[in-house]
Amino acid sequence: MACFRGNQEFYGEVLLLDDSKITLMTEQGIKKSSKAATILQRVFSHLNVVEVKFFGLRFCDNKQQTRWLDPLKTLSRHRGLMGPPYIFYFGVKFYAENPLKLKEETTRRQFYLQLRQDVCRGRLLCPAHLKPRLSALMLQADRGDVGGAEELDLGENQEVQIIYKSLSSLAMYGVSLFNAYDENQSEYFLGPTPGGVVIYKNKVLVGKYFW
């Protein structure tokens, strides 16, 4: 692309959970030799997030695999990172077992947005009978009694509390599955959860280990 001149130019975007984005440029002091923590800190500052341990940035590598940025590594040390433009996705990396117990309103808001996205994009599978109710609750929560979702205290909003309770009780809440093979080359899927690790074989839960 003509607008990226030389190897030192950096341009990227961080896509946020509310569908807005943050632009990253060389003029902001960001380059491929910068640590990923630099970008994360910029995002946290933009969102006023202080409970940073729950969140991270993902990217899609040159093999179309989704990976998390390691905050301690420079961008150049992340294999398969494509760009410019560099595209990162902000989201929840570690799910709280009970989102209602999160201390900060800004954290609760990002958790709500993540769960809404997980449901809408099919990452968190819900029973068929639960989907219509969840859709109605999310619509009410987004609109709020007065004004938009930005004005809601999601910790006190009744619709959001019901959504949290409904989704956090699902078997696949907060689970990201990774494939693995045993000595007989049988394929398994392992997934860390807020409460431990689950193991699936042929889409059947065969093991669960608690932290």
Side-chain angles (χ1 to χ4, degrees):
M1 300 177 65
C3 56
F4 303 118
R5 299 176 181 176
N7 296 327
Q8 300 303 312
E9 291 293 325
F10 186 95
Y11 180 84
E13 293 178 344
V14 178
L15 305 185
L16 304 177
L17 291 168
D18 63 358
D19 295 327
S20 63
K21 61 185 179 182
I22 299 174
T23 300
L24 307 170
M25 296 184 293
T26 306
E27 290 78 4
Q28 298 168 335
I30 301 174
K31 45 192 176 182
K32 285 201 72 175
S33 59
S34 300
K35 287 188 176 181
T38 303
I39 298 178
L40 266 171
Q41 188 54 51
R42 182 174 291 272
V43 176
F44 293 145
S45 177
H46 177 82
L47 296 174
N48 295 317
V49 168
V50 295
E51 294 179 286
V52 300
K53 62 183 180 181
F54 295 107
F55 304 100
L57 291 172
R58 293 174 290 116
F59 68 95
C60 190
D61 68 15
N62 53 9
K63 295 182 180 179
Q64 299 302 305
Q65 298 294 316
T66 300
R67 302 183 182 279
W68 290 99
L69 286 179
D70 183 340
L72 300 180
K73 289 184 178 181
T74 62
L75 296 176
S76 59
R77 290 186 60 196
H78 287 81
R79 290 186 178 182
L81 179 61
M82 297 185 296
Y86 301 93
I87 306 298
F88 306 105
Y89 304 87
F90 176 77
V92 175
K93 186 175 182 179
F94 301 108
Y95 286 71
E97 190 169 2
N98 184 355
L100 291 171
K101 293 184 177 181
L102 294 169
K103 296 180 180 179
E104 298 291 332
E105 164 60 15
T106 51
T107 309
R108 293 195 294 267
R109 173 166 176 74
Q110 296 306 316
F111 260 79
Y112 168 71
L113 293 174
Q114 180 69 75
L115 290 173
R116 185 182 67 176
Q117 187 183 98
D118 289 347
V119 171
C120 292
R121 297 186 180 181
R123 286 195 296 264
L124 178 56
L125 300 179
C126 301
H129 71 275
L130 188 58
K131 288 184 178 179
R133 187 186 185 204
L134 281 174
S135 297
L137 288 170
M138 289 179 180
L139 184 60
Q140 292 175 34
D142 290 344
R143 288 180 175 176
D145 294 330
V146 179
E150 291 289 348
E151 300 175 16
L152 287 174
D153 182 340
L154 298 182
E156 299 179 359
N157 182 269
Q158 184 177 7
E159 289 82 9
V160 173
Q161 290 185 23
I162 298 173
I163 292 169
Y164 280 158
K165 291 178 180 178
S166 300
L167 295 181
S168 61
S169 65
L170 297 177
M172 296 302 292
Y173 165 75
V175 179
S176 297
L177 295 176
F178 304 90
N179 63 325
Y181 297 88
D182 65 11
E183 58 185 9
N184 298 318
Q185 294 302 303
S186 297
E187 187 176 30
Y188 291 83
F189 288 89
L190 284 69
T193 76
V197 177
V198 294
I199 303 176
Y200 284 85
K201 182 179 182 181
N202 298 325
K203 298 183 179 181
V204 177
L205 180 66
V206 296
K208 188 171 185 179
Y209 302 90
F210 296 97
W211 299 121

